[in-house]
Amino acid sequence: MRCRPTICSRAGSFGCASTDNLKNVRFCGPYLSRALAGLGVKASDDIVVAVSGGGDSLALLHAMSGLGWHSVRAIHVDHGLQRQAGAWGARVRAAATAMGVPCEVVRATVTRTGEGPEADARAARYQVLSACMRPGEVLVTAHHADDQAETVLLRLLRGAGLAGLSAMAGIRAFGPGRLARPLLAVPKAALAAYAAEHALAFVHDPSNDDTRYARNYVRHALVPVITARWPRAVESINRAARHARSAEELLCAYVAQDVAACSAPDGALRLPVLLALAPGIQGPVLRAWLSGQGGPPMSEAKGAEVLAALAMVPRSRRQVLRFGRAGALRRYRERAVWTPGDYESAEPALPQAWAPPFQDLGLSDGRRLRAVPVLGQGVAASRIADRPLVVATRTFGQRVLVPGRGHRAVKKLLQEMGIAPWERSRAVLIYADEALIAVAGHWVCAPFRAGPGEPGFVFHIES
């Protein structure tokens, strides 16, 4: 029987005010303070404001500078895509200085990925902002209610699900800190009025007028037509985004229960459990599990393709389903694991000598081998006292001496232990006097095992 999930949703995740009466919103310092407080951002937090130089972000910076908070600074990202970009950076720095706010101008390198110039510039911008943030710092951006409505429309036209239609969250984890959007309940008109009231001299990026770009087309061509027929459309679209987020949070809470049921203690995906779920649930559970393992977002079509492949058990009971450069989903027997794109090249360079008292041993792939003193488990301390050990990985066709069992093929031994094929080249083998006595985290040779109450060492790997 499925338990009722607990929804942990922060109040005010869309800002401190409802977007149902946008015409009544007046932006000012006190409003900003309340909006940030509604997102859990305090005056004692370290704040960095992303400033493009446009009217919205300058209004945000000006209001932020007047709050008298503990620590406020600004960052301007120069994408290098316009001839005037250098001059814009200088103007932003001068404006911030006049407000008493230190400002850093950082050049971004925009890499073409095939996703389009808007997406490429956005990815470069957020990469720079994340890299420039300090631990615990809160990045504050000037995204407003009109931006939110545009985002919902763009994602709707792309066929997004609940997560996409939820659009931008008011607060989320980002880089070494958090990303806050306190103006999602503020219309652009209110920010323009604030900028005019305080005579803020902002820059205008001509690329924002180019309707060849999707967001600009929605902003300049689509939204005016919609609001001409439905004047409060922006409010309604924002309200729909809030409803979508509430539904998404509820769905995620239910899906988390199935992800837990489908996950082995080591995080691997238990395929029989996944495939026994109702067909409509399998896709969301697979996507949620993959996200939790650090995998990439997966479209509905890709999810269906992966599920179909997993349902067909190959004779070898092995599968490798690749996700481009991001990594691969690897199946062995009835389990699947996610491995990142650089996994296959990250093999430890061994052998290495290792002797008591067994200090942590760093491996070249970033993992660490540890020996944990225990009683009644692992390798008996008395059997390896004053004996230097050798730590190594498997080589092709290798055979080793196993005390009590003669010479055995390492491949066969690792297979008997249930170690997946892609893990075998990374398995850490521990030898004493050329005899294999343990495989870290998996196995201890019987003649070397500690008896009940006997001091021993458990060898395991930490990532």
Side-chain angles (χ1 to χ4, degrees):
M1 179 177 178
R2 189 189 293 274
C3 298
R4 182 179 180 85
T6 300
I7 309 297
C8 298
S9 175
R10 180 185 294 279
S13 62
F14 280 86
C16 73
S18 168
T19 55
D20 290 341
N21 294 287
L22 291 180
K23 289 184 179 180
N24 297 333
V25 175
R26 179 179 178 272
F27 178 66
C28 57
Y31 178 97
L32 176 60
S33 180
R34 292 193 302 271
L36 288 168
L39 298 175
V41 181
K42 305 183 295 294
S44 57
D45 288 324
D46 293 330
I47 304 295
V48 54
V49 182
V51 185
S52 66
D56 304 332
S57 60
L58 277 181
L60 170 63
L61 181 64
H62 185 274
M64 195 81 231
S65 69
L67 296 183
W69 280 27
H70 163 70
S71 173
V72 178
R73 67 188 185 98
I75 290 182
H76 171 79
V77 178
D78 176 359
H79 300 85
L81 300 177
Q82 301 286 341
R83 288 187 301 103
Q84 313 97 309
W88 292 344
R91 288 182 61 177
V92 169
R93 181 184 284 116
T97 301
M99 299 175 195
V101 178
C103 179
E104 181 180 5
V105 177
V106 185
R107 182 70 178 264
T109 300
V110 179
T111 303
R112 294 185 178 182
T113 64
E115 296 294 325
E118 290 175 294
D120 293 342
R122 186 186 313 112
R125 178 167 63 253
Y126 278 104
Q127 183 177 17
V128 166
L129 291 170
S130 176
C132 291
M133 288 176 67
R134 301 162 185 164
E137 202 165 36
V138 181
L139 175 67
V140 181
T141 67
H143 293 103
H144 47 70
D146 296 70
D147 292 326
Q148 184 79 311
E150 293 164 7
T151 299
V152 174
L153 289 172
L154 282 166
R155 294 183 179 180
L156 180 64
L157 292 169
R158 292 168 184 160
L162 284 175
L165 297 179
S166 300
M168 296 179 282
I171 186 103
R172 67 177 178 87
F174 179 75
R178 291 176 291 167
L179 168 60
R181 299 183 177 103
L183 308 185
L184 291 180
V186 179
K188 182 176 180 61
L191 296 173
Y194 181 94
E197 178 185 351
H198 295 278
L200 301 179
F202 54 87
V203 300
H204 176 70
D205 184 346
S207 68
N208 289 334
D209 300 325
D210 190 343
T211 54
R212 291 176 300 174
Y213 300 138
R215 181 173 290 272
N216 290 343
Y217 184 84
V218 168
R219 177 178 302 161
H220 298 299
L222 187 57
V223 170
V225 173
I226 294 174
T227 53
R229 176 61 179 83
W230 295 281
R232 299 185 66 177
V234 170
E235 298 169 6
S236 300
I237 294 171
N238 274 266
R239 185 166 60 251
R242 294 201 304 276
H243 293 328
R245 183 166 297 276
S246 296
E248 171 68 6
E249 288 174 347
L250 179 61
L251 176 62
C252 285
Y254 276 115
V255 167
Q257 295 182 359
D258 288 320
V259 170
C262 293
S263 300
D266 62 355
L269 184 62
R270 300 193 296 174
L271 297 177
V273 182
L274 172 68
L275 297 173
L277 295 173
I281 297 295
Q282 293 175 12
V285 171
L286 176 61
R287 286 193 293 272
W289 174 84
L290 185 62
S291 176
Q293 298 295 310
M298 188 165 53
S299 68
E300 182 181 17
K302 181 66 174 180
E305 176 188 326
V306 171
L307 284 168
L310 294 175
M312 299 177 63
V313 182
R315 182 175 300 178
S316 66
R317 299 168 77 188
R318 303 179 191 176
Q319 283 175 304
V320 179
L321 306 175
R322 300 194 180 277
F323 288 67
R325 296 181 179 179
L329 186 64
R330 298 172 184 268
R331 176 203 192 120
Y332 182 54
R333 298 176 179 172
E334 302 304 324
R335 293 157 43 97
V337 300
W338 170 256
T339 56
D342 61 352
Y343 181 86
E344 292 173 330
S345 63
E347 295 181 6
L350 299 170
Q352 299 182 60
W354 201 32
F358 299 125
Q359 300 294 324
D360 289 2
L361 186 64
L363 308 179
S364 63
D365 61 356
R367 299 182 298 166
R368 299 190 71 79
L369 175 62
R370 298 195 65 198
V372 180
V374 292
L375 292 176
Q377 297 181 56
V379 175
S382 61
R383 289 166 178 76
I384 55 174
D386 303 321
R387 297 173 70 177
L389 305 182
V390 173
V391 177
T393 51
R394 168 196 170 202
T395 57
F396 181 76
Q398 181 183 13
R399 297 179 65 84
V400 296
L401 174 64
V402 180
R405 299 178 64 182
H407 285 83
R408 300 290 306 278
V410 173
K411 175 183 177 180
K412 193 69 175 177
L413 282 173
L414 299 180
Q415 190 175 28
E416 290 173 1
M417 297 173 204
I419 299 176
W422 58 87
E423 287 284 0
R424 292 172 192 165
S425 63
R426 291 161 53 91
V428 176
L429 283 56
I430 302 171
Y431 299 85
D433 299 331
E434 299 186 357
L436 180 66
I437 66 168
V439 177
H442 294 282
W443 172 83
V444 174
C445 184
F448 284 82
R449 290 177 191 154
E454 184 179 7
F457 291 99
V458 170
F459 300 123
H460 72 95
I461 301 292
E462 289 186 351
S463 298

